[in-house]
Amino acid sequence: MDESRLNEIITMFDGGLAKAASVSDIEALKVDFLGKKGHVTSLFKEMGKVAAEDRPAFGEKINKVKERVESGIKEFEKKISEKAVSEKINSSYCDVTLPGKFHEIGHRHPISTTIAEIVEIFGRLGFSVSEGPEIETDYINFDALNVFEWHPARDMQDSFYAGPNAVLRTHTSGVQIRTMLENEPPIKIVAPGRVYRFDEVDASHSPVFHQVEGLLVDKNTNFAAFKGIISSFCREFFGADKKVVFRPSYFPFTEPSAEVDVECINCKGRGCGVCKNSGFLEVMGAGMVHPNVLRNGNIDPEIYRGFAFGMGVERIAMLRYAVRDIRDFYVNDLRVLSQFK
Ligand code: PHE
């Protein structure tokens, strides 16, 4: 037995250790070198063949080989367990000082908020809420409201048709007829809802928008009562300091008719681009309900009178929130919408 055998074993072990990558590799090395038939174990078995006087020195050498193998294995095991621990730490790393993940809580769309506020104010003035279908008959959307066959608003270009006698309502005024047919006066309702018009989209037009209709029918009402109610609403909604103007106008379903203007919120009445230098902005159409319309609602115009109004919600919301482009309400851009929390 010479030393070259010992060196051979050490070289073999070093080679095996260099290649070892896993716990099972190191287990195999253990068996190969320290197992019953392992290279190191077999060295001890050869002790018998060594001359007695050489044995202590030889024994010492084999022990050195054994220690070398054992410490190599131990070191590897230590390394691999440290690696396992650090991998585990890395994969399940959690920085408890980071802020948590938040789920955005939704909020009302500015158009819904505006409708809710309008309805709430009229609620305090004694009006309840009524609703009608978005697909209306020609009769209710036009004829019953005294809009005759020849009226330009009936032109196909102004309205979307869903069928021969099915129009996407061009205003909420049809709810006036439905409400009158279903209820006895006194009537005091507001009717919010979506309306449709064949309009080109631009900064102030959209083919779909919202209106809030209002209708009051009673024995003793008159234009002064109408002015009182609308002035109260405008004061509440736009602020007590805003001037309100009733301007003569025309609608087939009201007589007399008026348009209501509110002092421009942008320039406070001085005149600017938003109000086309008039100092005022139109917020609704209105008037005393035409006798024909009362009749079509099964109400006797000799006994009852009414007033009605219809306001454009987007218009009002644009004024209220200083929004310059109606499309901002519809594109669902969170940079816009999140400003209305
Ligand atoms: N329906 C009218 C419009 O859409 C508004 C209006 C309603 C006018 C009620 C008078 C009375 O423009």
Side-chain angles (χ1 to χ4, degrees), residues 170-173 176 197 211 213-214 251 253-254 285-287 308-310:
T170 56
H171 51 188
T172 42
S173 297
Q176 290 184 35
R197 279 185 204 174
Q211 286 187 332
E213 190 79 12
F251 295 102
F253 30 92
T254 45
F309 50 89

Side-chain angles (χ1 to χ4, degrees), residues 39-340:
H39 301 296
V40 178
T41 321
S42 65
L43 285 179
F44 283 105
K45 285 182 189 154
E46 285 172 33
M47 282 280 269
K49 293 180 200 161
V50 178
E53 68 270 24
D54 294 336
R55 259 178 224 161
F58 185 69
E60 205 176 305
K61 282 179 187 156
I62 332 177
N63 268 331
K64 284 237 168 77
V65 174
K66 194 185 171 205
E67 273 163 26
R68 167 87 190 265
V69 168
E70 281 174 345
S71 71
I73 287 172
K74 228 188 218 151
E75 226 163 82
F76 185 88
E77 282 175 339
K78 198 174 152 207
K79 248 197 278 171
I80 211 158
S81 80
E82 277 169 3
K83 203 173 140 208
V85 168
S86 77
E87 266 169 17
K88 186 144 193 217
I89 289 174
N90 285 338
S91 69
S92 59
Y93 177 73
C94 168
D95 183 348
V96 293
T97 66
L98 285 175
K101 284 183 189 161
F102 291 99
H103 291 279
E104 283 287 336
I105 293 175
H107 57 88
R108 265 184 172 159
H109 189 279
I111 294 298
S112 304
T113 306
T114 307
I115 291 176
E117 270 180 56
I118 296 169
V119 165
E120 192 270 330
I121 294 170
F122 279 105
R124 279 191 270 141
L125 292 165
F127 289 73
S128 56
V129 175
S130 191
E131 275 182 330
E134 289 178 26
I135 300 178
E136 236 343 331
T137 60
D138 263 348
Y139 175 73
I140 290 196
N141 192 72
F142 296 123
D143 303 75
L145 288 163
N146 212 30
V147 183
F148 294 111
E149 206 69 49
W150 43 262
H151 198 280
R154 293 192 70 145
D155 194 316
M156 290 289 287
Q157 282 172 359
D158 291 331
S159 327
F160 289 112
Y161 275 82
N165 185 28
V167 65
L168 299 189
R169 65 179 178 189
T170 56
H171 51 188
T172 42
S173 297
V175 184
Q176 290 184 35
I177 302 294
R178 290 180 175 274
T179 308
M180 287 189 278
L181 289 174
E182 282 162 22
N183 299 278
E184 296 289 320
I187 291 169
K188 242 181 144 179
I189 59 107
V190 281
R194 223 175 263 137
V195 300
Y196 302 82
R197 279 185 204 174
F198 202 103
D199 268 333
E200 211 68 61
V201 178
D202 64 24
S204 55
H205 291 90
S206 159
V208 186
F209 59 102
H210 298 77
Q211 286 187 332
V212 176
E213 190 79 12
L215 174 69
L216 184 146
V217 180
D218 207 346
K219 280 182 179 149
N220 300 315
T221 196
N222 54 33
F223 201 83
F226 156 68
K227 278 182 75 178
I229 293 271
I230 294 305
S231 303
S232 300
F233 165 77
C234 291
R235 249 201 316 278
E236 277 294 300
F237 191 87
F238 296 104
D241 54 326
K242 299 284 174 306
K243 285 198 195 93
V244 178
V245 168
F246 294 77
R247 207 164 20 85
S249 184
Y250 170 77
F251 295 102
F253 30 92
T254 45
E255 182 59 38
S257 301
E259 269 168 329
V260 181
D261 297 343
V262 174
E263 193 180 300
C264 179
I265 288 182
N266 189 47
C267 64
K268 303 198 166 56
R270 281 191 296 271
C272 68
V274 176
C275 60
K276 300 200 174 73
N277 283 322
S278 68
F280 284 90
L281 288 154
E282 184 201 321
V283 294
M284 71 182 91
M288 300 306 293
V289 181
H290 195 290
N292 287 347
V293 175
L294 288 173
R295 254 179 238 118
N296 292 334
N298 253 347
I299 289 172
D300 185 349
E302 300 298 330
I303 304 173
Y304 291 103
R305 274 177 281 179
F307 64 76
F309 50 89
M311 48 186 109
V313 176
E314 277 76 357
R315 203 76 222 280
I316 288 180
M318 284 169 84
L319 286 179
R320 180 75 183 269
Y321 299 122
V323 171
R324 303 218 163 201
D325 194 319
I326 195 169
R327 290 167 287 200
D328 284 343
F329 290 133
Y330 306 123
V331 292
N332 285 338
D333 184 336
L334 286 178
R335 288 169 303 179
V336 174
L337 296 182
S338 59
Q339 297 178 48
F340 295 96

